[in-house]
Amino acid sequence: MSIEAQSRRDFLAGTASATALTVFGTAGLSGMSAFATPSKQSSGGEKLIPYGAAVRSDALASDPSYRDAVIANCQMVVPESELKWLELRPSKDEYRFEKADAIIDFARQNAIEVRGHTLAWYGALPPWTESIATRADAERELTDHIETVVSRYRGAIPSWDVINEPLLDWPESASSLRPSIWARRLGPDYLSLALRTTASVDADARLVLNEYDVEFTGPRFAARRKALIQLLRSLRDRDVPLHAVGLQAHLFADRAIDRDGLQALLAEIAALKLDVLVTELDVIDYELPGKIGERDALVAGVASRFLQAVCEVVRPKAILTWGLSDRYTWVPIYFKRRDGMPNRPLPLDAELRRKPLFDVIEEFRRGA
Ligand code: XIL
Protein backbone atom coordinates (compact mmCIF):
# COMPACT_ATOMS: atom_id res chain seq x y z
CA MET A 1 0.00 0.00 0.00
CA SER A 2 1.60 3.32 -1.01
CA ILE A 3 1.94 6.07 1.59
CA GLU A 4 -0.57 8.42 -0.05
CA ALA A 5 -3.35 5.78 -0.07
CA GLN A 6 -2.80 4.89 3.58
CA SER A 7 -4.27 8.10 4.97
CA ARG A 8 -2.94 9.33 8.28
CA ARG A 9 -6.36 8.94 9.78
CA ASP A 10 -6.43 5.22 8.82
CA PHE A 11 -2.96 4.86 10.25
CA LEU A 12 -3.75 6.60 13.50
CA ALA A 13 -6.90 4.50 13.75
CA GLY A 14 -4.50 1.59 13.53
CA THR A 15 -6.73 -0.19 10.96
CA ALA A 16 -3.94 -0.41 8.40
CA SER A 17 -1.66 -2.41 10.68
CA ALA A 18 -4.09 -4.86 12.22
CA THR A 19 -1.61 -7.65 11.54
CA ALA A 20 1.08 -5.89 13.58
CA LEU A 21 -1.39 -5.56 16.46
CA THR A 22 -1.91 -9.28 16.74
CA VAL A 23 1.82 -9.88 16.74
CA PHE A 24 2.32 -7.84 19.87
CA GLY A 25 -0.11 -9.60 22.37
CA THR A 26 0.18 -8.74 26.05
CA ALA A 27 0.38 -12.16 27.72
CA GLY A 28 2.51 -13.07 30.73
CA LEU A 29 2.98 -9.78 32.58
CA SER A 30 2.70 -11.31 36.05
CA GLY A 31 5.74 -11.89 38.31
CA MET A 32 7.93 -9.51 36.33
CA SER A 33 10.15 -7.06 38.30
CA ALA A 34 9.07 -3.66 37.05
CA PHE A 35 9.90 0.01 37.20
CA ALA A 36 7.14 1.87 39.07
CA THR A 37 4.61 3.40 36.66
CA PRO A 38 3.86 7.10 37.24
CA SER A 39 0.06 6.64 37.22
CA LYS A 40 -0.09 3.83 39.78
CA GLN A 41 2.63 5.09 42.09
CA SER A 42 1.88 8.77 42.28
CA SER A 43 -0.97 8.20 44.68
CA GLY A 44 1.38 9.56 47.34
CA GLY A 45 1.59 12.76 45.26
CA GLU A 46 5.15 12.01 44.19
CA LYS A 47 5.47 12.36 40.44
CA LEU A 48 7.94 9.96 38.95
CA ILE A 49 10.25 10.84 36.09
CA PRO A 50 9.08 8.66 33.17
CA TYR A 51 11.39 5.78 32.29
CA GLY A 52 11.91 4.38 28.80
CA ALA A 53 14.24 2.35 26.65
CA ALA A 54 15.40 1.91 23.06
CA VAL A 55 13.66 -1.09 21.52
CA ARG A 56 14.10 -3.25 18.40
CA SER A 57 11.08 -4.22 16.29
CA ASP A 58 12.53 -7.65 15.46
CA ALA A 59 13.13 -8.52 19.13
CA LEU A 60 9.64 -7.28 20.09
CA ALA A 61 8.18 -9.58 17.43
CA SER A 62 10.32 -12.65 18.15
CA ASP A 63 11.01 -12.54 21.89
CA PRO A 64 7.83 -12.58 24.06
CA SER A 65 9.62 -12.43 27.43
CA TYR A 66 11.60 -9.37 26.31
CA ARG A 67 8.43 -7.79 24.91
CA ASP A 68 6.66 -8.37 28.23
CA ALA A 69 9.59 -6.85 30.10
CA VAL A 70 9.28 -3.73 27.94
CA ILE A 71 5.53 -3.55 28.64
CA ALA A 72 6.10 -4.03 32.37
CA ASN A 73 8.90 -1.49 32.71
CA CYS A 74 8.63 1.25 30.10
CA GLN A 75 6.45 4.35 29.95
CA MET A 76 8.37 5.32 26.82
CA VAL A 77 10.18 3.58 23.98
CA VAL A 78 12.44 4.89 21.24
CA PRO A 79 13.12 2.83 18.09
CA GLU A 80 16.84 1.96 18.21
CA SER A 81 17.19 2.12 14.40
CA GLU A 82 13.78 1.91 12.74
CA LEU A 83 13.30 5.70 12.34
CA LYS A 84 16.81 6.35 11.06
CA TRP A 85 17.31 7.23 7.38
CA LEU A 86 19.15 3.97 6.75
CA GLU A 87 16.05 1.94 7.70
CA LEU A 88 13.41 4.31 6.37
CA ARG A 89 15.00 5.26 3.05
CA PRO A 90 16.71 2.32 1.32
CA SER A 91 16.47 4.32 -1.92
CA LYS A 92 15.81 7.94 -2.82
CA ASP A 93 12.12 7.53 -3.80
CA GLU A 94 11.17 4.96 -1.20
CA TYR A 95 9.99 5.03 2.41
CA ARG A 96 9.90 1.83 4.48
CA PHE A 97 7.66 2.40 7.51
CA GLU A 98 6.75 -1.21 8.36
CA LYS A 99 9.20 -1.68 11.22
CA ALA A 100 8.61 1.77 12.72
CA ASP A 101 4.82 1.28 12.39
CA ALA A 102 5.10 -2.01 14.26
CA ILE A 103 6.77 -0.27 17.20
CA ILE A 104 4.14 2.50 17.15
CA ASP A 105 1.39 -0.11 17.20
CA PHE A 106 3.02 -2.01 20.03
CA ALA A 107 3.34 1.20 22.01
CA ARG A 108 -0.21 2.33 21.32
CA GLN A 109 -1.58 -1.04 22.37
CA ASN A 110 0.32 -0.83 25.66
CA ALA A 111 -0.20 2.88 26.39
CA ILE A 112 3.53 3.53 26.00
CA GLU A 113 4.79 6.85 24.61
CA VAL A 114 7.17 6.83 21.63
CA ARG A 115 10.15 9.14 21.10
CA GLY A 116 11.41 9.76 17.57
CA HIS A 117 15.08 9.20 16.77
CA THR A 118 16.39 10.87 14.55
CA LEU A 119 15.76 13.27 11.61
CA ALA A 120 19.12 15.01 10.97
CA TRP A 121 22.24 13.00 11.82
CA TYR A 122 25.58 12.25 10.12
CA GLY A 123 25.12 8.58 11.00
CA ALA A 124 22.98 5.75 9.60
CA LEU A 125 22.52 7.52 6.27
CA PRO A 126 21.90 5.38 3.16
CA PRO A 127 24.69 5.53 0.52
CA TRP A 128 22.47 7.35 -2.01
CA THR A 129 22.51 10.48 0.17
CA GLU A 130 26.18 10.93 -0.69
CA SER A 131 25.07 11.81 -4.23
CA ILE A 132 23.05 14.82 -3.03
CA ALA A 133 24.95 17.32 -5.15
CA THR A 134 23.70 20.82 -4.43
CA ARG A 135 22.45 23.02 -1.61
CA ALA A 136 18.97 23.06 -3.21
CA ASP A 137 18.94 19.24 -3.45
CA ALA A 138 19.97 18.87 0.17
CA GLU A 139 17.36 21.35 1.32
CA ARG A 140 14.66 19.52 -0.62
CA GLU A 141 15.72 16.04 0.54
CA LEU A 142 15.97 17.00 4.22
CA THR A 143 12.70 18.96 4.13
CA ASP A 144 10.77 16.27 2.23
CA HIS A 145 12.01 13.58 4.59
CA ILE A 146 11.04 15.50 7.70
CA GLU A 147 7.65 16.50 6.29
CA THR A 148 6.87 12.92 5.28
CA VAL A 149 8.06 11.22 8.46
CA VAL A 150 6.88 13.77 11.03
CA SER A 151 3.44 14.21 9.42
CA ARG A 152 2.97 10.44 9.37
CA TYR A 153 3.59 10.17 13.11
CA ARG A 154 2.01 13.46 14.20
CA GLY A 155 0.09 12.69 17.39
CA ALA A 156 1.87 9.34 17.74
CA ILE A 157 5.39 10.70 18.40
CA PRO A 158 5.25 13.76 20.71
CA SER A 159 9.03 14.19 21.05
CA TRP A 160 11.74 14.04 18.36
CA ASP A 161 15.55 13.99 18.39
CA VAL A 162 15.49 16.35 15.45
CA ILE A 163 19.25 16.96 15.59
CA ASN A 164 21.61 14.18 16.68
CA GLU A 165 25.33 14.56 17.43
CA PRO A 166 25.86 17.85 15.52
CA LEU A 167 29.29 18.63 17.00
CA LEU A 168 32.73 17.43 15.98
CA ASP A 169 34.22 14.94 18.42
CA TRP A 170 36.60 17.63 19.76
CA PRO A 171 35.00 20.94 18.74
CA GLU A 172 36.73 24.31 18.92
CA SER A 173 33.43 26.18 18.86
CA ALA A 174 29.74 25.90 17.96
CA SER A 175 30.68 26.03 14.30
CA SER A 176 32.78 22.87 14.59
CA LEU A 177 30.07 20.69 13.11
CA ARG A 178 30.45 16.98 12.52
CA PRO A 179 30.99 16.39 8.78
CA SER A 180 27.83 15.13 7.08
CA ILE A 181 26.10 15.55 3.75
CA TRP A 182 23.84 18.07 5.51
CA ALA A 183 26.72 20.13 6.92
CA ARG A 184 28.58 19.92 3.61
CA ARG A 185 25.68 21.07 1.45
CA LEU A 186 23.86 23.39 3.88
CA GLY A 187 26.46 24.41 6.44
CA PRO A 188 25.09 25.21 9.93
CA ASP A 189 21.78 26.15 8.30
CA TYR A 190 20.82 22.46 8.26
CA LEU A 191 20.20 22.73 12.01
CA SER A 192 17.67 25.56 11.78
CA LEU A 193 16.15 24.08 8.60
CA ALA A 194 15.51 20.73 10.32
CA LEU A 195 14.12 22.33 13.49
CA ARG A 196 11.92 24.87 11.69
CA THR A 197 10.60 22.23 9.28
CA THR A 198 9.73 19.83 12.13
CA ALA A 199 7.95 22.63 14.01
CA SER A 200 6.02 23.61 10.88
CA VAL A 201 4.79 20.03 10.38
CA ASP A 202 3.94 19.31 14.04
CA ALA A 203 3.58 22.41 16.19
CA ASP A 204 3.01 20.25 19.27
CA ALA A 205 6.12 18.10 18.94
CA ARG A 206 8.89 18.60 21.49
CA LEU A 207 12.07 19.35 19.54
CA VAL A 208 15.26 17.93 21.00
CA LEU A 209 18.95 18.40 20.17
CA ASN A 210 20.77 15.25 21.30
CA GLU A 211 24.50 15.05 22.13
CA TYR A 212 27.01 12.64 23.64
CA ASP A 213 30.26 12.89 25.67
CA VAL A 214 29.38 15.98 27.73
CA GLU A 215 29.43 14.16 31.09
CA PHE A 216 33.12 13.51 31.79
CA THR A 217 36.26 15.14 33.16
CA GLY A 218 38.85 16.20 30.56
CA PRO A 219 39.64 18.86 27.94
CA ARG A 220 37.71 17.21 25.09
CA PHE A 221 34.55 16.94 27.18
CA ALA A 222 34.93 20.50 28.47
CA ALA A 223 35.29 21.67 24.86
CA ARG A 224 32.15 19.76 23.92
CA ARG A 225 30.14 21.34 26.74
CA LYS A 226 31.37 24.81 25.76
CA ALA A 227 30.56 24.30 22.07
CA LEU A 228 27.15 22.85 22.91
CA ILE A 229 26.20 25.92 24.95
CA GLN A 230 27.40 28.23 22.17
CA LEU A 231 25.35 26.23 19.65
CA LEU A 232 22.21 26.38 21.80
CA ARG A 233 22.66 30.12 22.28
CA SER A 234 23.13 30.70 18.54
CA LEU A 235 19.90 28.82 17.85
CA ARG A 236 18.15 30.81 20.56
CA ASP A 237 19.48 34.11 19.21
CA ARG A 238 17.97 33.28 15.80
CA ASP A 239 14.63 32.20 17.34
CA VAL A 240 15.06 28.69 16.02
CA PRO A 241 12.42 26.47 17.69
CA LEU A 242 13.98 24.09 20.23
CA HIS A 243 12.53 22.72 23.47
CA ALA A 244 15.10 20.45 25.03
CA VAL A 245 18.58 19.00 25.09
CA GLY A 246 19.09 15.25 25.12
CA LEU A 247 22.07 14.01 27.12
CA GLN A 248 22.80 10.64 25.56
CA ALA A 249 24.76 9.54 28.66
CA HIS A 250 26.67 6.62 27.19
CA LEU A 251 28.71 6.50 30.39
CA PHE A 252 32.18 4.95 30.34
CA ALA A 253 32.79 3.24 33.67
CA ASP A 254 36.49 4.08 33.36
CA ARG A 255 35.85 7.84 33.00
CA ALA A 256 35.14 10.27 35.85
CA ILE A 257 31.87 12.21 35.79
CA ASP A 258 32.69 15.95 35.75
CA ARG A 259 30.14 16.98 38.37
CA ASP A 260 30.96 20.72 38.25
CA GLY A 261 31.29 20.82 34.47
CA LEU A 262 28.05 18.93 33.97
CA GLN A 263 26.17 21.05 36.51
CA ALA A 264 27.44 24.27 34.90
CA LEU A 265 26.23 22.97 31.53
CA LEU A 266 22.81 22.10 32.97
CA ALA A 267 22.50 25.49 34.64
CA GLU A 268 23.19 27.15 31.27
CA ILE A 269 20.63 24.91 29.55
CA ALA A 270 18.06 25.77 32.23
CA ALA A 271 18.88 29.46 31.84
CA LEU A 272 18.00 29.08 28.14
CA LYS A 273 14.65 27.69 29.32
CA LEU A 274 15.37 24.36 27.66
CA ASP A 275 14.34 21.06 29.21
CA VAL A 276 16.72 18.18 29.69
CA LEU A 277 16.19 14.51 28.85
CA VAL A 278 18.53 11.60 29.51
CA THR A 279 18.06 9.85 26.17
CA GLU A 280 20.47 6.87 25.78
CA LEU A 281 21.87 5.94 29.20
CA ASP A 282 24.03 2.84 29.39
CA VAL A 283 27.31 2.11 31.15
CA ILE A 284 30.14 0.85 28.98
CA ASP A 285 31.87 -1.73 31.13
CA TYR A 286 34.63 -3.16 28.90
CA GLU A 287 37.39 -1.87 31.20
CA LEU A 288 35.77 -3.15 34.40
CA PRO A 289 36.77 -6.30 36.31
CA GLY A 290 34.95 -9.45 35.21
CA LYS A 291 33.30 -10.51 38.48
CA ILE A 292 29.56 -9.94 37.90
CA GLY A 293 28.59 -8.68 41.36
CA GLU A 294 31.50 -6.26 41.51
CA ARG A 295 30.99 -5.11 37.91
CA ASP A 296 27.25 -4.51 38.33
CA ALA A 297 27.89 -2.48 41.47
CA LEU A 298 30.50 -0.34 39.68
CA VAL A 299 28.11 0.18 36.75
CA ALA A 300 25.36 1.30 39.13
CA GLY A 301 27.82 3.62 40.90
CA VAL A 302 28.74 5.45 37.69
CA ALA A 303 25.08 5.97 36.80
CA SER A 304 24.32 7.13 40.34
CA ARG A 305 27.05 9.78 40.25
CA PHE A 306 25.80 10.98 36.86
CA LEU A 307 22.11 11.11 37.85
CA GLN A 308 22.99 12.73 41.18
CA ALA A 309 24.85 15.52 39.39
CA VAL A 310 21.98 16.00 36.93
CA CYS A 311 19.07 15.83 39.36
CA GLU A 312 20.66 18.32 41.75
CA VAL A 313 20.33 20.98 39.01
CA VAL A 314 17.40 19.95 36.80
CA ARG A 315 14.55 17.42 36.80
CA PRO A 316 14.96 15.46 33.57
CA LYS A 317 11.72 15.16 31.56
CA ALA A 318 12.54 11.48 31.08
CA ILE A 319 15.27 8.94 31.70
CA LEU A 320 15.79 6.52 28.80
CA THR A 321 18.34 3.74 28.54
CA TRP A 322 19.74 2.58 25.21
CA GLY A 323 18.07 -0.80 25.57
CA LEU A 324 16.36 -2.42 28.54
CA SER A 325 18.19 -5.73 28.84
CA ASP A 326 21.80 -6.85 28.26
CA ARG A 327 20.20 -9.33 25.86
CA TYR A 328 19.89 -6.51 23.29
CA THR A 329 22.61 -3.86 23.50
CA TRP A 330 24.81 -2.09 20.97
CA VAL A 331 27.78 -1.97 23.38
CA PRO A 332 29.64 -5.10 22.22
CA ILE A 333 29.61 -3.78 18.64
CA TYR A 334 32.17 -1.14 19.65
CA PHE A 335 33.22 -2.00 23.23
CA LYS A 336 33.68 -5.75 23.39
CA ARG A 337 35.37 -7.00 26.57
CA ARG A 338 38.85 -8.45 26.17
CA ASP A 339 37.94 -11.30 28.52
CA GLY A 340 35.13 -12.29 26.15
CA MET A 341 32.54 -11.91 28.90
CA PRO A 342 29.24 -10.33 27.82
CA ASN A 343 28.84 -6.62 28.49
CA ARG A 344 26.36 -5.69 31.23
CA PRO A 345 25.46 -2.00 30.47
CA LEU A 346 21.68 -2.01 31.07
CA PRO A 347 19.10 -2.20 33.93
CA LEU A 348 18.05 -5.83 33.30
CA ASP A 349 20.50 -8.65 32.64
CA ALA A 350 20.21 -11.01 29.68
CA GLU A 351 17.77 -13.15 31.71
CA LEU A 352 15.65 -10.03 32.30
CA ARG A 353 16.62 -9.97 35.97
CA ARG A 354 16.89 -6.68 37.78
CA LYS A 355 20.40 -5.29 38.39
CA PRO A 356 21.66 -2.59 40.80
CA LEU A 357 21.49 -0.11 37.87
CA PHE A 358 17.71 -0.73 37.82
CA ASP A 359 17.44 0.38 41.46
CA VAL A 360 19.58 3.47 40.88
CA ILE A 361 17.33 4.63 38.04
CA GLU A 362 14.26 3.89 40.15
CA GLU A 363 15.70 5.95 43.01
CA PHE A 364 16.32 9.01 40.81
CA ARG A 365 12.98 8.71 39.09
CA ARG A 366 11.47 9.28 42.48
CA GLY A 367 13.57 12.42 42.74
CA ALA A 368 16.26 11.11 45.12
C1 XIL B 1 23.45 2.79 17.57
C2 XIL B 1 22.60 1.52 17.55
O1 XIL B 1 22.33 1.12 18.87
C3 XIL B 1 23.40 0.42 16.85
O2 XIL B 1 22.58 -0.74 16.72
C4 XIL B 1 23.85 0.90 15.48
O3 XIL B 1 24.70 -0.08 14.91
C5 XIL B 1 24.60 2.20 15.60
O4 XIL B 1 23.82 3.18 16.28
N1 XIL B 1 24.14 7.39 19.57
C6 XIL B 1 22.93 7.39 18.95
C7 XIL B 1 22.31 6.10 18.58
O5 XIL B 1 22.32 8.47 18.83
O6 XIL B 1 21.48 6.26 17.47
C8 XIL B 1 23.36 5.04 18.32
O7 XIL B 1 22.67 3.82 18.12
C9 XIL B 1 24.28 4.95 19.50
C10 XIL B 1 25.00 6.24 19.75
Side-chain angles (χ1 to χ4, degrees):
M1 180 187 289
S2 71
I3 294 162
E4 285 69 38
Q6 179 185 353
S7 78
R8 213 175 75 73
R9 200 176 45 258
D10 283 356
F11 171 76
L12 284 180
T15 50
S17 40
T19 46
L21 278 175
T22 54
V23 173
F24 297 120
T26 55
L29 282 179
S30 59
M32 170 98 35
S33 60
F35 280 115
T37 55
S39 56
K40 283 199 216 86
Q41 295 296 330
S42 55
S43 55
E46 65 181 337
K47 271 203 66 48
L48 297 172
I49 299 172
Y51 168 75
V55 293
R56 301 175 179 179
S57 57
D58 53 357
L60 286 173
S62 62
D63 185 345
S65 60
Y66 161 75
R67 182 186 71 237
D68 292 340
V70 172
I71 294 167
N73 287 290
C74 296
Q75 287 88 54
M76 281 183 181
V77 291
V78 52
E80 187 170 348
S81 300
E82 290 80 357
L83 283 169
K84 292 174 180 173
W85 279 70
L86 194 59
E87 291 266 357
L88 285 178
R89 306 291 305 280
S91 66
K92 186 172 172 352
D93 305 315
E94 195 185 353
Y95 284 84
R96 286 268 182 84
F97 287 113
E98 297 79 9
K99 292 182 181 175
D101 288 355
I103 293 179
I104 299 277
D105 276 321
F106 162 75
R108 181 191 302 120
Q109 212 190 25
N110 295 288
I112 295 172
E113 187 173 304
V114 180
R115 293 208 66 241
H117 179 83
T118 180
L119 297 168
W121 185 30
Y122 77 90
L125 285 174
W128 66 265
T129 54
E130 277 310 307
S131 61
I132 296 173
T134 67
R135 181 182 174 90
D137 289 349
E139 191 163 330
R140 195 183 49 257
E141 288 297 349
L142 186 56
T143 305
D144 286 358
H145 181 87
I146 292 176
E147 285 173 353
T148 304
V149 176
V150 174
S151 64
R152 182 182 182 83
Y153 296 119
R154 191 171 35 223
I157 297 184
S159 170
W160 275 97
D161 293 337
V162 179
I163 308 291
N164 194 36
E165 305 182 350
L167 293 170
L168 263 181
D169 212 40
W170 195 323
E172 272 149 31
S173 72
S175 44
S176 310
L177 295 180
R178 166 87 63 156
S180 71
I181 189 70
W182 312 126
R184 270 204 314 282
R185 296 285 176 260
L186 297 160
D189 293 350
Y190 91 86
L191 302 165
S192 50
L193 178 69
L195 289 161
R196 290 189 201 287
T197 305
T198 308
S200 71
V201 178
D202 187 349
D204 300 325
R206 303 299 287 173
L207 312 182
V208 180
L209 184 149
N210 201 33
E211 255 305 359
Y212 71 100
D213 275 1
V214 293
E215 306 87 356
F216 312 110
T217 306
R220 179 168 78 82
F221 309 109
R224 293 181 61 75
R225 289 189 287 269
K226 189 162 170 243
L228 177 57
I229 284 297
Q230 288 172 349
L231 182 60
L232 297 171
R233 283 207 191 109
S234 76
L235 293 168
R236 175 50 40 94
D237 296 348
R238 289 170 297 128
D239 292 327
V240 177
L242 183 67
H243 302 111
V245 175
L247 303 181
Q248 291 188 7
H250 294 291
L251 306 178
F252 287 74
D254 53 306
R255 292 182 187 165
I257 300 291
D258 186 333
R259 182 192 161 80
D260 298 342
L262 184 53
Q263 294 194 331
L265 169 70
L266 293 164
E268 296 264 14
I269 292 172
L272 290 167
K273 305 227 173 328
L274 294 169
D275 292 332
V276 169
L277 292 83
V278 174
T279 54
E280 306 184 14
L281 175 61
D282 54 15
V283 180
I284 293 158
D285 64 337
Y286 70 140
E287 299 288 7
L288 289 183
K291 251 171 92 252
I292 299 291
E294 187 185 351
R295 180 148 48 113
D296 288 355
L298 290 167
V299 159
V302 175
S304 182
R305 286 189 290 283
F306 166 70
L307 290 170
Q308 180 78 40
V310 170
C311 294
E312 280 174 3
V313 181
V314 295
R315 180 186 163 81
K317 287 293 179 200
I319 297 174
L320 294 101
T321 50
W322 204 240
L324 174 63
S325 154
D326 299 333
R327 190 182 289 182
Y328 303 113
T329 168
W330 75 304
V331 170
I333 303 174
Y334 303 99
F335 310 105
K336 221 177 197 24
R337 291 179 56 87
R338 278 184 289 278
D339 59 12
M341 292 179 78
N343 298 91
R344 298 174 63 87
L346 292 168
L348 301 184
D349 68 13
E351 281 66 51
L352 304 174
R353 290 177 304 226
R354 206 172 155 142
K355 295 159 62 189
L357 175 57
F358 182 111
D359 303 325
V360 162
I361 294 171
E362 191 66 352
E363 195 193 324
F364 283 96
R365 292 183 56 224
R366 292 178 188 287

